[in-house]
Amino acid sequence: MNPILDQILVGAVIAVALVYFIFRKKKCGAGCDCTTARLKRNVK
Amino acid sequence: MNVAHQVERFRHNGHSHSHAQAHHSTGPGKGHRHVAIAGNPNCGKSTLFNLLTGLRQKVGNYPGVTVERKVGRFYGLHGEPMVLFDLPGSYSLQVRSPDEAVSRDVLLGREAGTPQPDLVIAVVDASNLERNLYLVAQLLDLNLPMVVVLNMFDMAERSGIRLDVAALEEELGVPVIPVVATEGRGIIELKTAISKATLTPPLKRPPMPEAIDAEVRTLAQTLPLSPNQAFSEALLLLTLHDRALEDLAAHRATVVAGVTAAQNRLKAEGMDPLCVLVEARYEWINRICQRAVVKPSRGGSPSLTDRLDRVLIHRVWGWVFFIGAMTLMFLSIFTLAQIPMDWIDSGVHALASWLGGHLPESHVRSLLVDGIIPGVGGVLIFLPQIMILYFFLGLLEDSGYMARAAFLMDRVMSIVGLHGKSFIPLLSSFACAIPGVMAARTVENRNDRIATILVAPLMSCSARIPVYTLMISVLLPRTAPLTKAAMMLALYGLGVVAAFSLAFVLKRTFLKSDASMLLLELPPYRKPSLRNVGVCMKERAGLFVTRAGTVILALSVLLWALVSFPKPADPSVSRGEAMAQSFAGQMGRGIEPIIKPLGYDWKIGVGLISSFAAREVFVGTMGIVYNVEGDEKAGDDATKGGTLRDTMSAETRPDGTPVFTPLVCLGLMVFYVLAMQCIGTLAVVRRETNSWRWPLIQIALLSTLAWVGAFAVYQGGRLLGFH
């Protein structure tokens, strides 16, 4: 593989992963169905 | 909170709050009839909702499954479109917790962006008419068109209860439809009843003392609402207690003045509005039940539920069954899951080998073969175990056993000073601490709530399963599944014991509060519905796979970058040395002084750091760390034939001694049971407690506990001569 193309591809994947990880919408996590989150907004 | 909402209602005079629109799954449509399903907890509202709308809302045979109103659409018998609201279960409109407030607010038309329902379907459990009719009495006072659904009619008949439906209809003044929602029986009759254009508000209202009726009507005239809403609001306001009124007074002085004056006038006549209303309603209920309900004579044989409960909530046999059921669950996780896990493992290895053989030597190849595949595949392999866990939990939930488990645990919880209501938050934390922490808001006392939040992360969440399973298989590679299951059960038990012990200390030091009583309804046992269990398994599997394909994938890429860069200046250095010089190596070495007393090397340190994003990433990190290094140790592709467990078992220190000794494995497991390695939970604790104080105390407390626990296991074990 062309070394420059190799570096560009890997750099782009790392950049996308980093941006996703930092700016992803923080959800409640593995077991959350988010109804409790909505409940909280509702009763505020 | 409830009062604040009430105030908001008066300020806006029934108009929407802007913030609530966004989370309607289906917005209320124009020209649709709005129908609300209301009733006591665990009377089958969500089952009826699913039946009418064709949706698959979570249902369970224990109270409190629905904590938010759910929205769906359906069509009446003549094709007329309707919007259906499934409301959280409530015993009364005089609410005590936020989920009950949701029901009250929708029914009274206070809910943001949602008009008051055009029709109410009051679902009652046909076997428990006396208790269910109290809410029906309050719903009749709303003066909205209403249909009463006698759900679980078959169970009532089976237990020998005879209901005179015609007499009930006559007494209540609204249509009464017997239904068996789980089987769809009575649904046509229900649709016919709610599709009738002639459906009117109730022909009768529960009797109310004249003095109270007069005060309610006078008060209603002062409220800027429609006559129906004003009457219902005035009735609720009149029964508010002093403290709620004080809170309300700060915002709406004139209303409060009116309420207080009315209450004082009634008190002068020797009447407490709430007590008098409750008494009048129960007299009405008794009269109806005497006419419409024939119960079996007490001399009959006890019901199946009673006979099962003699064992399942027995103070000895109850615990024997509980521990037996848990052992069976964990045993299945280790035996049944093994075959599909092997398939996934083989697939992951085959993919890595195929890519390794076909791609030229490059960064892209290394990213795929050493980073993404072991990182994501290493986590994905645990999918069968997650599904089996939720299959068993689904069975226990749907059968009605969970309420019994709550009953058993309440005895222990009262000993440590936790409120019985803390059980559901702690139970939720076995799936994930985040909904657990949020569910703690139903605990009324502040100190009880904070204590529950602080100990919730000690319950072993599903993200810990991959870590536990990996470490158990490294510690006990060739042991019988029963031993592994016992080990897993012990780890879960350790979390529970640690949570209760910490709560015990907290409740006797700086979170003291008075003990309060728990009222718990034990629902009848029902045959679990495989459909409901399947829905639960599918949901959890979907969440797990989505996480593996998003957060874990992104983290695998980043971790690979951290272990692969910067490249060493001297290309001839070994790959192990190159990794030691990488960013990850530097991070691991940075925390080495802290983790060395626990027997960990810097590579485990990298795993610990990465686990803060998500605990299961530890497994992926180990896969990446040992894959990158293993390429060199055993020749390219060679390590990909062996499992991560074998690679970790074979890992040695520079002096040739194994890294993962039994004490290190045990210490690591104890560390993962006790540590709070979850950024998401920290953020939610901050939101729930509205300060950084508690999350910071929590992370400091649990991290110290985890370190001390792992230290005690490793150093204590060495002192005793183990290795």
Side-chain angles (χ1 to χ4, degrees), chain A residues 1 6-7 9-10 13-14 17-18 20-21 24 28-32 35-44, chain B residues 1 5 19 23 67-68 70 98 102 111 362-364 432 434 438 441 540 543 550-551 554-555 560-561 687-688:
Chain A
M1 185 181 273
D6 186 29
Q7 285 178 16
L9 273 176
V10 168
V13 172
I14 294 172
L18 195 61
Y20 172 78
F21 187 68
R24 82 201 141 104
C28 288
C32 182
T35 49
T36 38
R38 275 181 270 152
L39 166 67
K40 189 181 179 195
R41 288 195 291 268
N42 265 357
V43 297
K44 242 179 192 170
Chain B
M1 209 181 289
H5 206 119
H19 68 263
H23 44 271
V67 292
E68 220 262 323
K70 308 280 173 66
V102 173
E111 175 70 11
S362 58
H363 288 317
V364 171
C432 172
I434 292 167
M438 285 179 158
R441 74 170 70 113
R540 298 296 167 168
L543 280 166
T550 52
V551 184
L555 279 168
W560 171 83
R687 269 210 326 250
E688 291 294 303

Coordinates of all heavy atoms in Angstrom, one line a residue, chain A residues 1 6-7 9-10 13-14 17-18 20-21 24 28-32 35-44, chain B residues 1 5 19 23 67-68 70 98 102 111 362-364 432 434 438 441 540 543 550-551 554-555 560-561 687-688:
Chain A
M1 N 0.8 -1.2 0.0 CA 0.0 0.0 0.0 C 0.9 1.2 0.0 O 1.9 1.3 0.6 CB -0.9 0.0 1.2 CG -1.9 1.2 1.3 SD -2.9 1.1 2.7 CE -4.2 0.1 2.2
D6 N -1.7 5.2 3.1 CA -1.8 4.5 4.4 C -2.0 5.4 5.6 O -2.9 5.3 6.4 CB -0.6 3.6 4.5 CG -0.7 2.6 5.7 OD1 -1.8 2.3 6.1 OD2 0.4 2.3 6.2
Q7 N -1.1 6.4 5.6 CA -1.1 7.3 6.7 C -2.3 8.2 6.7 O -2.9 8.5 7.8 CB 0.2 8.2 6.7 CG 1.4 7.4 7.2 CD 2.7 8.2 7.1 OE1 2.6 9.5 7.0 NE2 3.8 7.6 7.2
L9 N -5.3 7.5 5.4 CA -6.4 6.7 5.8 C -6.5 6.5 7.3 O -7.5 6.7 8.0 CB -6.4 5.3 5.1 CG -6.9 5.2 3.7 CD1 -6.7 3.8 3.2 CD2 -8.4 5.4 3.8
V10 N -5.4 6.0 7.9 CA -5.4 5.8 9.3 C -5.6 7.1 10.1 O -6.4 7.1 11.1 CB -4.0 5.1 9.7 CG1 -3.9 5.1 11.2 CG2 -4.0 3.7 9.2
V13 N -9.3 7.9 10.1 CA -10.1 7.0 10.9 C -9.9 7.5 12.4 O -10.9 7.6 13.2 CB -9.7 5.6 10.7 CG1 -10.4 4.7 11.8 CG2 -10.1 5.1 9.4
I14 N -8.6 7.8 12.8 CA -8.4 8.2 14.2 C -9.1 9.5 14.4 O -9.8 9.7 15.5 CB -6.9 8.3 14.4 CG1 -6.2 7.0 14.3 CG2 -6.6 8.9 15.8 CD1 -4.7 7.0 14.4
A17 N -12.8 8.9 14.9 CA -13.1 8.2 16.1 C -13.0 9.2 17.3 O -13.8 9.2 18.2 CB -12.1 7.1 16.4
L18 N -12.0 10.1 17.2 CA -11.7 11.1 18.3 C -12.9 12.1 18.3 O -13.5 12.3 19.4 CB -10.4 11.8 18.0 CG -9.8 12.6 19.2 CD1 -9.5 11.7 20.3 CD2 -8.6 13.3 18.7
Y20 N -15.9 11.6 17.2 CA -17.1 10.9 17.6 C -17.1 10.7 19.1 O -18.1 11.0 19.8 CB -17.2 9.5 17.0 CG -18.3 8.7 17.6 CD1 -19.7 8.9 17.2 CD2 -18.1 7.7 18.5 CE1 -20.7 8.2 17.7 CE2 -19.1 7.0 19.1 CZ -20.4 7.2 18.7 OH -21.4 6.5 19.3
F21 N -16.0 10.3 19.7 CA -15.9 10.1 21.1 C -16.1 11.3 21.9 O -16.8 11.3 23.0 CB -14.5 9.4 21.4 CG -14.5 9.0 22.8 CD1 -15.2 7.9 23.3 CD2 -13.7 9.6 23.8 CE1 -15.2 7.4 24.6 CE2 -13.6 9.2 25.1 CZ -14.4 8.1 25.5
R24 N -19.9 12.8 20.8 CA -21.1 11.9 20.8 C -22.1 12.4 21.8 O -21.8 12.9 22.8 CB -20.7 10.5 21.0 CG -20.6 10.1 22.4 CD -19.8 8.9 22.6 NE -18.9 9.0 23.7 CZ -19.1 8.4 24.9 NH1 -20.1 7.6 25.0 NH2 -18.3 8.5 25.9
C28 N -27.6 7.5 28.2 CA -27.6 7.0 29.6 C -26.7 5.8 29.8 O -26.4 5.6 30.9 CB -29.0 6.7 30.0 SG -29.9 8.3 30.2
G29 N -26.4 5.1 28.8 CA -25.5 3.9 29.0 C -26.1 2.6 28.7 O -27.2 2.6 28.1
A30 N -25.4 1.5 29.0 CA -25.8 0.2 28.5 C -27.2 -0.2 28.8 O -27.9 -0.8 28.0 CB -24.8 -0.8 29.1
G31 N -27.7 0.1 30.0 CA -29.0 -0.5 30.4 C -30.1 0.5 30.4 O -31.2 0.2 30.9
C32 N -29.9 1.7 29.9 CA -30.9 2.7 30.0 C -31.9 2.8 28.9 O -31.5 2.8 27.7 CB -30.3 4.1 30.2 SG -31.5 5.4 30.5
T35 N -36.4 6.3 29.5 CA -37.7 6.8 29.9 C -37.5 7.6 31.2 O -38.2 8.5 31.5 CB -38.7 5.6 30.2 OG1 -38.0 4.7 31.0 CG2 -39.2 5.0 29.0
T36 N -36.6 7.1 32.0 CA -36.3 7.9 33.3 C -35.8 9.3 33.0 O -36.1 10.2 33.7 CB -35.4 7.1 34.2 OG1 -34.4 6.5 33.4 CG2 -36.1 6.1 35.0
A37 N -35.0 9.3 31.9 CA -34.5 10.6 31.6 C -35.6 11.5 31.1 O -35.6 12.7 31.5 CB -33.5 10.5 30.4
R38 N -36.5 11.0 30.4 CA -37.7 11.8 30.0 C -38.6 12.2 31.2 O -39.1 13.2 31.2 CB -38.5 11.0 28.9 CG -37.9 11.2 27.5 CD -38.7 10.4 26.5 NE -38.2 9.1 26.4 CZ -38.9 8.1 26.1 NH1 -40.2 8.2 25.9 NH2 -38.4 6.9 25.9
L39 N -38.7 11.2 32.1 CA -39.5 11.5 33.3 C -38.9 12.7 34.0 O -39.6 13.6 34.4 CB -39.4 10.3 34.2 CG -39.9 10.5 35.6 CD1 -41.4 10.8 35.6 CD2 -39.6 9.3 36.5
K40 N -37.6 12.8 34.1 CA -36.9 13.9 34.8 C -37.3 15.2 34.1 O -37.7 16.1 34.8 CB -35.4 13.7 34.8 CG -34.8 14.7 35.7 CD -33.3 14.5 35.7 CE -32.8 15.6 36.6 NZ -31.4 15.8 36.4
R41 N -37.2 15.2 32.8 CA -37.6 16.5 32.1 C -39.0 16.8 32.3 O -39.4 18.0 32.4 CB -37.3 16.3 30.6 CG -35.8 16.3 30.3 CD -35.6 16.5 28.8 NE -36.0 15.4 28.1 CZ -35.2 14.4 27.7 NH1 -34.0 14.3 28.1 NH2 -35.7 13.4 27.0
N42 N -39.9 15.8 32.4 CA -41.3 16.0 32.5 C -41.7 16.6 33.8 O -42.6 17.5 33.9 CB -42.1 14.7 32.4 CG -42.6 14.5 30.9 OD1 -42.4 15.4 30.1 ND2 -43.1 13.4 30.7
V43 N -41.0 16.2 34.9 CA -41.5 16.6 36.2 C -40.7 17.8 36.7 O -41.0 18.3 37.8 CB -41.4 15.5 37.3 CG1 -42.3 14.3 36.9 CG2 -39.9 15.0 37.4
K44 N -39.8 18.3 35.9 CA -39.0 19.5 36.4 C -40.0 20.7 36.7 O -40.9 20.9 35.9 CB -38.1 19.9 35.3 CG -36.6 19.8 35.8 CD -35.7 20.2 34.7 CE -34.3 19.8 35.1 NZ -33.4 19.9 34.0
Chain B
M1 N -41.9 19.4 44.2 CA -41.8 19.3 42.7 C -43.3 19.3 42.1 O -43.5 20.0 41.2 CB -41.2 18.0 42.4 CG -40.5 18.0 41.0 SD -39.7 16.4 40.7 CE -38.4 16.4 41.9
H5 N -45.0 22.2 39.7 CA -45.7 22.0 38.5 C -47.1 22.6 38.5 O -47.6 23.1 37.5 CB -45.8 20.4 38.3 CG -46.0 20.1 36.8 ND1 -45.0 19.3 36.1 CD2 -46.9 20.5 35.9 CE1 -45.4 19.2 34.9 NE2 -46.5 19.9 34.7
H19 N -40.5 22.9 26.6 CA -39.5 21.9 26.7 C -40.0 20.5 26.5 O -39.2 19.5 26.3 CB -38.7 22.0 28.0 CG -39.5 21.7 29.2 ND1 -40.1 22.6 30.0 CD2 -39.9 20.5 29.7 CE1 -40.8 22.1 30.9 NE2 -40.6 20.8 30.8
H23 N -39.8 15.2 23.3 CA -39.7 13.8 23.6 C -41.0 13.1 23.4 O -41.1 12.0 24.0 CB -39.0 13.6 24.9 CG -39.6 14.5 26.0 ND1 -39.1 15.7 26.3 CD2 -40.6 14.3 26.8 CE1 -39.7 16.3 27.2 NE2 -40.7 15.4 27.6
V67 N -42.8 4.5 34.0 CA -42.6 5.7 34.9 C -42.8 6.9 34.1 O -42.6 8.0 34.6 CB -41.2 5.7 35.5 CG1 -41.0 4.6 36.6 CG2 -40.1 5.6 34.5
E68 N -43.2 6.8 32.8 CA -43.4 8.0 32.0 C -44.6 7.7 31.1 O -44.9 6.5 30.8 CB -42.2 8.2 31.2 CG -41.8 9.6 31.0 CD -42.3 10.2 29.7 OE1 -42.3 9.5 28.7 OE2 -42.7 11.4 29.7
K70 N -46.5 7.0 27.8 CA -46.1 6.5 26.5 C -47.2 6.9 25.5 O -48.4 6.9 25.9 CB -45.9 5.0 26.5 CG -44.9 4.5 27.6 CD -43.5 4.7 27.2 CE -42.5 4.4 28.3 NZ -42.5 3.0 28.7
P98 N -42.8 11.3 41.7 CA -42.8 12.0 40.4 C -43.5 11.1 39.3 O -44.1 11.7 38.4 CB -41.3 12.1 40.0 CG -40.6 12.1 41.3 CD -41.4 11.2 42.2
V102 N -46.9 12.3 36.8 CA -47.0 12.3 35.4 C -48.5 12.0 35.0 O -49.1 12.6 34.2 CB -46.1 11.3 34.7 CG1 -46.3 11.2 33.2 CG2 -44.6 11.8 34.9
E111 N -50.3 18.6 31.5 CA -49.1 18.1 30.8 C -48.8 19.0 29.6 O -49.7 19.3 28.8 CB -49.3 16.7 30.4 CG -48.2 16.1 29.5 CD -46.9 15.8 30.3 OE1 -46.9 15.9 31.5 OE2 -45.9 15.6 29.6
S362 N 0.9 -2.8 6.6 CA 0.6 -1.3 6.6 C -0.1 -0.9 7.9 O -0.4 -1.8 8.7 CB -0.3 -0.9 5.4 OG -1.5 -1.7 5.5
H363 N -0.2 0.4 8.1 CA -0.9 0.9 9.3 C -2.4 0.4 9.2 O -3.0 0.1 10.3 CB -0.9 2.4 9.3 CG 0.5 3.0 9.7 ND1 1.3 2.4 10.7 CD2 1.2 4.0 9.2 CE1 2.4 3.1 10.8 NE2 2.4 4.1 9.9
V364 N -3.0 0.5 8.0 CA -4.4 0.1 7.9 C -4.6 -1.4 8.3 O -5.5 -1.7 9.1 CB -4.9 0.3 6.4 CG1 -6.3 -0.3 6.2 CG2 -4.9 1.8 6.1
C432 N -27.6 -1.3 34.7 CA -26.7 -0.1 34.5 C -26.9 0.8 35.7 O -28.1 1.0 36.1 CB -27.0 0.5 33.2 SG -26.1 2.1 32.9
I434 N -26.7 4.0 35.7 CA -27.3 5.2 35.4 C -28.9 5.3 35.6 O -29.3 6.1 36.3 CB -26.9 5.7 34.0 CG1 -25.4 5.9 34.0 CG2 -27.7 6.9 33.5 CD1 -24.8 6.1 32.7
M438 N -31.0 7.3 38.6 CA -32.2 8.2 38.2 C -33.4 7.7 39.0 O -34.2 8.4 39.4 CB -32.4 8.1 36.8 CG -31.4 9.0 36.0 SD -31.8 8.9 34.3 CE -31.1 10.4 33.7
R441 N -34.8 8.8 42.5 CA -35.5 10.0 42.8 C -36.9 9.7 43.4 O -37.6 10.6 43.9 CB -35.7 10.9 41.6 CG -36.6 10.4 40.5 CD -36.8 11.5 39.5 NE -35.6 11.7 38.8 CZ -35.5 11.4 37.5 NH1 -36.5 11.0 36.8 NH2 -34.4 11.5 36.8
R540 N -32.0 -5.5 25.0 CA -30.6 -5.5 25.6 C -29.6 -5.9 24.6 O -28.5 -5.3 24.6 CB -30.6 -6.5 26.8 CG -31.6 -6.1 27.9 CD -31.2 -4.8 28.5 NE -32.3 -4.2 29.3 CZ -32.1 -3.2 30.1 NH1 -31.0 -2.6 30.2 NH2 -33.1 -2.8 30.8
L543 N -28.9 -2.9 22.4 CA -28.1 -1.9 23.1 C -26.6 -2.3 23.1 O -25.7 -1.5 22.9 CB -28.6 -1.7 24.5 CG -29.8 -0.8 24.7 CD1 -30.4 -1.0 26.1 CD2 -29.5 0.6 24.5
T550 N -20.3 1.4 18.2 CA -20.1 2.8 18.2 C -19.0 3.2 19.2 O -17.8 3.4 18.8 CB -21.4 3.5 18.6 OG1 -21.9 2.9 19.8 CG2 -22.5 3.4 17.5
V551 N -19.3 3.2 20.5 CA -18.3 3.7 21.5 C -17.1 2.8 21.5 O -16.0 3.2 21.5 CB -19.0 3.8 22.9 CG1 -18.0 4.3 23.9 CG2 -20.2 4.6 22.8
A554 N -15.0 3.2 18.4 CA -14.2 4.4 18.4 C -13.0 4.3 19.4 O -11.9 4.7 19.2 CB -15.1 5.6 18.8
L555 N -13.3 3.7 20.6 CA -12.3 3.5 21.6 C -11.2 2.6 21.1 O -10.0 2.7 21.5 CB -12.9 3.0 22.9 CG -13.5 4.1 23.8 CD1 -14.4 3.5 24.9 CD2 -12.5 5.0 24.4
W560 N -5.8 1.7 19.8 CA -4.7 1.2 18.9 C -3.7 2.3 18.6 O -2.5 2.0 18.6 CB -5.4 0.7 17.6 CG -4.4 0.3 16.6 CD1 -3.7 -0.9 16.5 CD2 -3.9 1.2 15.5 NE1 -2.8 -0.8 15.4 CE2 -3.0 0.5 14.8 CE3 -4.2 2.5 15.1 CZ2 -2.3 1.0 13.7 CZ3 -3.6 3.0 14.1 CH2 -2.6 2.3 13.4
A561 N -4.3 3.5 18.4 CA -3.4 4.6 18.1 C -2.4 4.9 19.3 O -1.3 5.1 19.2 CB -4.2 5.9 17.8
R687 N -26.0 15.5 38.0 CA -27.3 16.0 37.6 C -28.3 15.8 38.7 O -29.1 16.7 39.0 CB -27.8 15.4 36.3 CG -27.3 16.1 35.1 CD -28.3 15.9 33.9 NE -29.0 14.7 33.8 CZ -28.8 13.8 32.8 NH1 -27.8 14.0 32.0 NH2 -29.5 12.7 32.7
E688 N -28.3 14.6 39.2 CA -29.4 14.2 40.2 C -29.2 14.9 41.5 O -30.2 15.2 42.2 CB -29.4 12.7 40.4 CG -29.8 11.9 39.2 CD -31.3 12.1 38.9 OE1 -32.1 11.9 39.8 OE2 -31.6 12.5 37.8

